[in-house]
Amino acid sequence: MKKILYLLLIFICLLSACKNKQQTGNQQAIADTIVVQQATTPITVAANIKNFDYQWYSTRMNINVSYINPKKDLIAINAFIVNKKDSIIFINISKFAIEGARIVLTPDSVKYVNHLDQQYYWGSYAWLSKKMGFEINFQTIQALLTAQDIPDFENNFTKDSTAEGILYYSQVRKNNNNQMLIEESILTDTKCHLLKNDIKDIATFNTLHIAYGQYTSIENQDCYQTLKVEIPTMNILLDGVLKSTKINVEGPTTIRLPQKYSPLQLK
């Protein structure tokens, strides 16, 4: 379970965008793509995703972690998640009601305590960004946790109706704050609930596939009750079932650093 706890810490931070590390060949390919887009002048729109209006959000999630290929179950764990909007994300990871790790994310800090290894990380997102090659972003993690569009990107989607709902696609979507480029496909149902979000970082070709399902009305907000997250580059699938979801009910957000724990050895 120790490796799984470390993996989940990294996974939490994978829910954000990648740094732009393109080589010259990739830059030329992207430039060619942009030229084609300008020549054809497609009509683009913003993805219409139902707004999730809340101040506090909390849920309990049963998560099965498995390999994608070959299909093999690794471990089943439980997570308790609390999100105070734009302020903090609290995650308690346990198995058999025994807490294994606790994570607290804020817009400018990461706090992680692993009770199994008696180790901790207390600092900024810089180490995790360097470790994964990803620019960590609290707002992006929050958006994907609450089934919203990722922020700070151009809304330049083409729109098409399918048998499943409405498909929004962007071959090159640029971050407004840096030079990051992603390819993204968003599927919503006819009520504008986010069903699927497939993201590919153009610089590294890393992909992330997220699927939300079984939307249920809770305190006049539509909340998903199933979640699948596929990370092909890590050959990992997380399959979650939510329960006890609450809206605008305050939850715990604290984390304590035991004196005997040692700092996580950063590499």
Side-chain angles (χ1 to χ4, degrees):
M1 186 177 175
K2 295 179 181 179
K3 292 183 179 180
I4 296 301
L5 293 177
Y6 180 78
L7 169 65
L8 285 173
L9 171 63
I10 298 301
F11 162 70
I12 294 299
C13 301
L14 275 170
L15 300 183
S16 61
C18 301
K19 292 180 180 178
N20 185 6
K21 296 181 178 180
Q22 296 148 290
Q23 297 178 351
T24 304
N26 287 338
Q27 292 175 336
Q28 183 61 48
I30 294 168
D32 292 343
T33 301
I34 295 173
V35 169
V36 172
Q37 287 185 322
Q38 292 174 342
T40 55
T41 316
I43 299 175
T44 59
V45 299
N48 186 12
I49 298 174
K50 190 176 180 67
N51 181 50
F52 188 49
D53 186 14
Y54 74 104
Q55 291 303 314
W56 286 85
Y57 167 78
S58 65
T59 192
R60 297 186 182 275
M61 190 181 305
N62 298 328
I63 304 174
N64 184 67
V65 184
S66 61
Y67 288 128
I68 300 172
N69 186 27
K71 177 66 176 178
K72 180 183 178 181
D73 290 339
L74 290 176
I75 192 173
I77 58 175
N78 306 108
F80 176 51
I81 302 169
V82 177
N83 175 207
K84 183 180 180 182
K85 188 175 181 180
D86 298 332
S87 177
I88 199 165
I89 297 173
F90 168 95
I91 304 170
N92 183 316
I93 301 170
S94 63
K95 186 172 179 62
F96 302 129
I98 300 174
E99 181 176 315
R102 184 172 292 198
I103 303 168
V104 171
L105 307 175
T106 68
D108 57 6
S109 69
V110 176
K111 297 179 180 179
Y112 166 69
V113 173
N114 185 330
H115 296 300
L116 298 182
D117 286 339
Q118 296 191 345
Q119 292 184 326
Y120 69 91
Y121 173 74
W122 220 264
S124 70
Y125 290 88
W127 169 72
L128 292 171
S129 297
K130 181 179 179 181
K131 182 74 174 178
M132 299 308 302
F134 279 69
E135 187 68 38
I136 306 308
N137 184 297
F138 175 88
Q139 294 296 334
T140 298
I141 297 172
Q142 178 178 261
L144 294 177
L145 178 64
T146 55
Q148 299 292 289
D149 185 21
I150 54 179
D152 301 324
F153 280 84
E154 295 175 342
N155 284 311
N156 57 339
F157 294 96
T158 58
K159 178 181 176 182
D160 191 19
S161 297
T162 72
E164 296 179 273
I166 309 299
L167 180 66
Y168 298 92
Y169 174 71
S170 178
Q171 187 175 21
V172 180
R173 194 179 186 200
K174 182 181 178 181
N175 190 293
N176 293 320
N177 297 328
N178 52 49
Q179 297 301 311
M180 177 183 42
L181 301 172
I182 63 173
E183 180 182 352
E184 186 172 13
S185 176
I186 291 176
L187 179 68
T188 72
D189 62 17
T190 54
K191 295 182 179 180
C192 303
H193 299 134
L194 181 57
L195 300 180
K196 294 180 181 179
N197 196 350
D198 298 320
I199 304 168
K200 180 171 72 174
D201 171 50
I202 294 177
T204 64
F205 298 102
N206 289 338
T207 59
L208 179 67
H209 308 291
I210 306 177
Y212 308 88
Q214 296 184 15
Y215 278 86
T216 302
S217 180
I218 301 175
E219 297 296 328
N220 297 318
Q221 295 297 312
D222 294 340
C223 304
Y224 67 89
Q225 296 297 284
T226 63
L227 174 69
K228 289 182 182 292
V229 179
E230 184 177 328
I231 312 172
T233 54
M234 301 178 70
N235 196 29
I236 289 294
L237 172 67
L238 290 89
D239 197 340
V241 177
L242 284 66
K243 61 180 181 179
S244 303
T245 300
K246 295 181 174 62
I247 305 297
N248 294 333
V249 176
E250 293 188 19
T253 58
T254 60
I255 188 169
R256 184 176 64 88
L257 176 59
Q259 292 183 352
K260 295 182 179 180
Y261 284 21
S262 59
L264 184 67
Q265 297 301 312
L266 306 182
K267 297 180 181 180

